[in-house]
Amino acid sequence: MLNHSQRRFNLVFTLSLVNIGFALLCTFLSHKFDFIWLRNYNALNIIAYVLAAYLAKKEKLNAARIVYLLTSSIGLAVISSFVGKNGSVEFVYMFNIGLPFILFSFRRERYLVLLFTLLPLVLWMLLFITDYNLFAIKKLDPITARNVIYPIAISSTISLVIFQLIYYLILNARYFDKIHTKELEALETSNAKSKFLSTMSHEIRTPLNAVIGLSHILGDNNPREDQVQNIEALNYSGKILLNLLNNVLDFSKMQSTNIQLDNIPVDLSAAVKQIKKIHEAACLRKGITMNLEIDDDIPLIWLDIVRFNQVINNLVTNAIKFTDKGTVTLSIKSIHKTKDSLVLLTQIIDTGIGIPKDQHETIWEVFTQASSTTNRLYGGTGLGLPIVKSIIEAMGSQVKIESEINKGSRFYFQLDVKLASDKELHKTTHKKEFNFKEKTVLLVEDNLINIMVAQQILEKVNLKVAIANDGLTAVNMVKEKEYDVVLMDIQMPIMDGYTASKEIRKFNKQIPILALSASVFMEVKDKMEESGMNGFIFKPFEPEDLLNQIENAINT
């Protein structure tokens, strides 16, 4: 059933009352000029308009509109036949032709708009073709028609058309006013959401930066053999938490922007083996087996490995979650190869609980799971699969599903990727040696653990590190001493990073300022540029990325 606005009910009711008045006038005139049949017909029209008004009041809009429009259009043709050409009653059809656009929704009821627009046009045309003998041969006296009926018909037409135009103007004004209001509300909601997510991103990424940074430092300091596994587990746990955070942030970004891919040369076999190693522990705890099937002859390829891993991790995590016995299989096969490209078929197959066929479409919707029971028993955010779908679509493919209840599931997709060379891979994987030869850096950060992590990373490559715990202190320190680069956190007490950068730029235009930001939103990037910062480094950062940024800033 269509949802109709109260405006349309009121409009049909009001027009029916107006036409009752016209029908009464026509009944009186018909009686006066001794048109008995026409008088009786107009009396019936009064009943029809009363019925239309009644139906509108009872909110039976379809019936009310059809009764009104049929009575009005046919009634005009009948009256015009009796009055003749001199009365010009048919000009009222100008109002009737435009009326369906007000009474019906063009988007939802287009066929009714077309039908009731054509009806008065057809009747008008038939009147001319039949020389106004469509319903009656006996005519009103031409002089009376011209002197009495014509002024009434023309004034009625002008009044009705003016009413129609004014009504359209009022509707448009209200509509655009509502649009403006909704736009403001949407902007406020979007800003509030972005602010909330930016804050949450910062608050979660800040300790994550410490977890991932410390695990990197521990792994880089020649740990004992018995410590390696614990360090890898610490690093993995941090990255899993980061992946969950990225899922939430990706969902927010997907609502307004497209996913940006960053393809790099990748040895897929090595990357996928690492994925198996990550998920094997969860499989062992559940007593299920994780299988990895990957073609041995897959060459080096160009791929956004971060996004690809995000897809695989989401799908494998789901498969493990919903499988209590049997196997989870990650399969990557080369199905077509040319000189420059390769088509990969990736499949995640499990022997779990399966998904009903009627849920194969809805599982891709945000915050949706196969059933409330699934959500209650297994938990989850309902963001994993929508994000998988969006990433694969950004890669130019589609993820598909085959699944039956209690028979497991198969998620699969094909990717057309370009081949890479050993030289290109070496450029991205070669561990760069840094030596800054006693260059000085001012680290502006209020989190003590992050200070400890960053300080160890920076001092290991011979950077002299000065510390400021807030923006105001940083401004004063830059005034008193020269530094080669400033690493500026954004959210700090006393004075934030934006304000501090603006203050520094008032007296020092040259010093490079790199923002340390846990936010990934465009408005934050824009504010950084407005504040005079030269670049930004996302938290949690990879040490090599941090050092590369510092090197570029110093040498620019």
Side-chain angles (χ1 to χ4, degrees):
M1 182 180 176
L2 294 173
N3 293 320
H4 299 292
S5 66
Q6 190 62 42
R7 170 180 59 81
R8 284 202 173 97
F9 291 114
N10 294 337
L11 179 59
V12 176
F13 179 76
T14 304
L15 287 173
S16 297
L17 294 183
V18 170
N19 278 66
I20 288 171
F22 279 115
L24 284 170
L25 176 62
C26 290
T27 302
F28 170 75
L29 291 172
S30 300
H31 180 75
K32 180 178 177 60
F33 295 111
D34 201 27
F35 287 112
I36 305 303
W37 188 91
L38 183 58
R39 180 197 66 189
N40 294 338
Y41 176 79
N42 280 303
L44 288 174
N45 276 357
I46 294 171
I47 296 172
Y49 289 128
V50 169
L51 176 61
Y54 172 79
L55 291 171
K57 270 298 177 185
K58 290 295 182 180
E59 297 191 348
K60 296 180 179 179
L61 189 59
N62 278 341
R65 291 181 298 189
I66 291 170
V67 169
Y68 173 81
L69 288 169
L70 285 175
T71 304
S72 176
S73 293
I74 296 171
L76 281 173
V78 172
I79 294 167
S80 295
S81 285
F82 278 92
V83 172
K85 187 175 182 179
N86 292 310
S88 299
V89 177
E90 77 282 359
F91 277 106
V92 182
Y93 275 136
M94 293 175 66
F95 171 72
N96 277 33
I97 289 167
L99 193 56
F101 290 91
I102 299 177
L103 292 181
F104 297 103
S105 166
F106 188 76
R107 180 172 57 87
R108 297 178 301 181
E109 302 168 300
R110 196 169 300 175
Y111 70 97
L112 289 173
V113 174
L114 181 63
L115 175 64
F116 286 104
T117 300
L118 288 175
L119 179 61
L121 281 170
V122 169
L123 290 172
W124 199 346
M125 183 176 64
L126 289 174
L127 283 170
F128 277 99
I129 291 172
T130 61
D131 197 24
Y132 289 80
N133 294 322
L134 184 59
F135 290 102
I137 298 175
K138 181 184 176 183
K139 296 288 187 288
L140 183 66
D141 175 54
I143 297 174
T144 304
R146 184 170 54 251
N147 294 336
V148 178
I149 305 300
Y150 176 79
I152 295 173
I154 293 301
S155 60
S156 298
T157 301
I158 293 171
S159 300
L160 289 170
V161 171
I162 289 173
F163 159 78
Q164 206 169 50
L165 292 173
I166 292 172
Y167 192 77
Y168 266 125
L169 289 172
I170 292 171
L171 281 183
N172 284 334
R174 288 178 180 174
Y175 178 73
F176 285 111
D177 186 55
K178 284 181 181 179
I179 286 179
H180 181 66
T181 303
K182 292 291 183 183
E183 182 184 15
L184 291 176
E185 289 175 358
L187 285 172
E188 288 175 5
T189 303
S190 177
N191 290 336
K193 181 189 73 174
S194 295
K195 187 176 180 181
F196 168 76
L197 288 173
S198 180
T199 302
M200 290 304 298
S201 170
H202 182 274
E203 294 303 318
I204 297 173
R205 283 173 180 265
T206 297
L208 262 181
N209 183 58
V211 171
I212 294 174
L214 283 172
S215 66
H216 175 85
I217 291 168
L218 290 171
D220 213 31
N221 283 339
N222 300 316
R224 298 194 312 267
E225 191 173 337
D226 63 313
Q227 294 175 328
V228 171
Q229 192 173 1
N230 291 338
I231 292 170
E232 288 179 351
L234 177 66
N235 187 266
Y236 165 67
S237 297
K239 288 181 177 178
I240 286 294
L241 187 55
L242 179 61
N243 184 60
L244 179 61
L245 176 63
N246 284 339
N247 278 351
V248 176
L249 295 175
D250 282 344
F251 161 64
S252 175
K253 287 190 288 181
M254 284 173 207
Q255 292 181 310
S256 56
T257 59
N258 295 324
I259 294 175
Q260 300 297 317
L261 299 177
D262 183 18
N263 292 327
I264 60 171
V266 172
D267 181 353
L268 192 59
S269 297
V272 171
K273 286 173 184 175
Q274 188 63 31
I275 289 175
K276 182 187 177 184
K277 188 176 179 181
I278 286 170
H279 290 283
E280 267 185 326
C283 291
L284 289 171
R285 284 195 296 272
K286 295 193 74 174
I288 60 178
T289 303
M290 172 137 190
N291 300 320
L292 174 61
E293 300 173 358
I294 180 168
D295 285 352
D296 295 328
D297 60 344
I298 293 178
L300 302 177
I301 58 172
W302 285 91
L303 183 68
D304 187 332
I305 191 62
V306 174
R307 291 296 188 184
F308 183 80
N309 281 346
Q310 191 177 0
V311 167
I312 300 300
N313 280 322
N314 279 338
L315 292 175
V316 171
T317 300
N318 270 3
I320 294 170
K321 183 194 300 184
F322 297 115
T323 303
D324 294 322
K325 59 181 180 180
T327 61
V328 171
T329 301
L330 170 58
S331 169
I332 302 178
K333 304 290 182 184
S334 170
I335 60 174
H336 181 68
K337 185 178 178 182
T338 66
K339 182 182 177 182
D340 301 315
S341 66
L342 181 70
V343 177
L344 291 175
L345 172 63
T346 303
Q347 304 174 90
I348 293 85
I349 307 165
D350 65 66
T351 58
I353 62 174
I355 301 168
K357 286 188 177 181
D358 61 351
Q359 297 294 326
H360 285 189
E361 295 298 324
T362 58
I363 58 170
W364 305 108
E365 297 174 6
V366 176
F367 303 125
T368 300
Q369 294 198 346
S371 69
S372 58
T373 304
T374 301
N375 185 45
R376 187 168 59 251
L377 291 176
Y378 297 96
T381 62
L383 289 175
L385 289 181
I387 289 168
V388 165
K389 181 175 182 286
S390 297
I391 292 173
I392 296 301
E393 286 178 352
M395 291 180 168
S397 184
Q398 287 187 328
V399 59
K400 299 178 181 178
I401 177 177
E402 293 176 359
S403 183
E404 290 184 40
I405 291 292
N406 299 323
K407 291 187 179 180
S409 302
R410 172 180 174 245
F411 289 85
Y412 62 100
F413 56 89
Q414 293 182 13
L415 291 179
D416 191 348
V417 295
K418 291 185 178 179
L419 302 184
S421 65
D422 290 326
K423 185 177 180 181
E424 289 168 329
L425 178 65
H426 180 73
K427 284 182 181 179
T428 59
T429 58
H430 176 66
K431 194 168 183 180
K432 189 176 179 180
E433 295 293 331
F434 294 93
N435 191 333
F436 288 94
K437 299 177 183 178
E438 304 298 311
K439 295 287 185 180
T440 58
V441 56
L442 175 60
L443 176 62
V444 190
E445 171 69 72
D446 64 316
N447 185 288
L448 296 178
I449 296 176
N450 282 343
I451 290 173
M452 179 186 71
V453 172
Q455 194 168 5
Q456 289 186 53
I457 293 170
L458 297 172
E459 288 179 347
K460 192 170 183 179
V461 292
N462 298 320
L463 275 166
K464 287 186 176 180
V465 183
I467 309 294
N469 296 116
D470 60 74
L472 182 59
T473 304
V475 173
N476 293 329
M477 290 177 70
V478 174
K479 283 181 180 178
E480 295 170 1
K481 186 179 176 181
E482 289 188 4
Y483 298 94
D484 293 293
V485 66
V486 176
L487 299 181
M488 182 76 72
D489 189 27
I490 297 300
Q491 297 186 21
M492 293 181 294
I494 303 176
M495 183 183 287
D496 63 33
Y498 301 124
T499 308
S501 298
K502 288 179 180 178
E503 291 298 317
I504 290 171
R505 287 296 177 232
K506 289 179 181 178
F507 60 86
N508 190 327
K509 306 288 186 185
Q510 287 76 38
I511 187 169
I513 303 175
L514 300 178
L516 294 175
S517 172
S519 176
V520 295
F521 294 96
M522 286 305 299
E523 56 264 33
V524 174
K525 295 180 185 179
D526 293 340
K527 287 179 72 175
M528 290 175 187
E529 293 175 1
E530 291 171 8
S531 303
M533 298 180 181
N534 303 96
F536 45 86
I537 301 162
F538 290 133
K539 296 179 185 177
F541 51 75
E542 289 290 335
E544 188 167 355
D545 180 49
L546 172 67
L547 298 174
N548 269 326
Q549 293 263 31
I550 292 172
E551 184 178 65
N552 291 338
I554 290 174
N555 294 332
T556 299

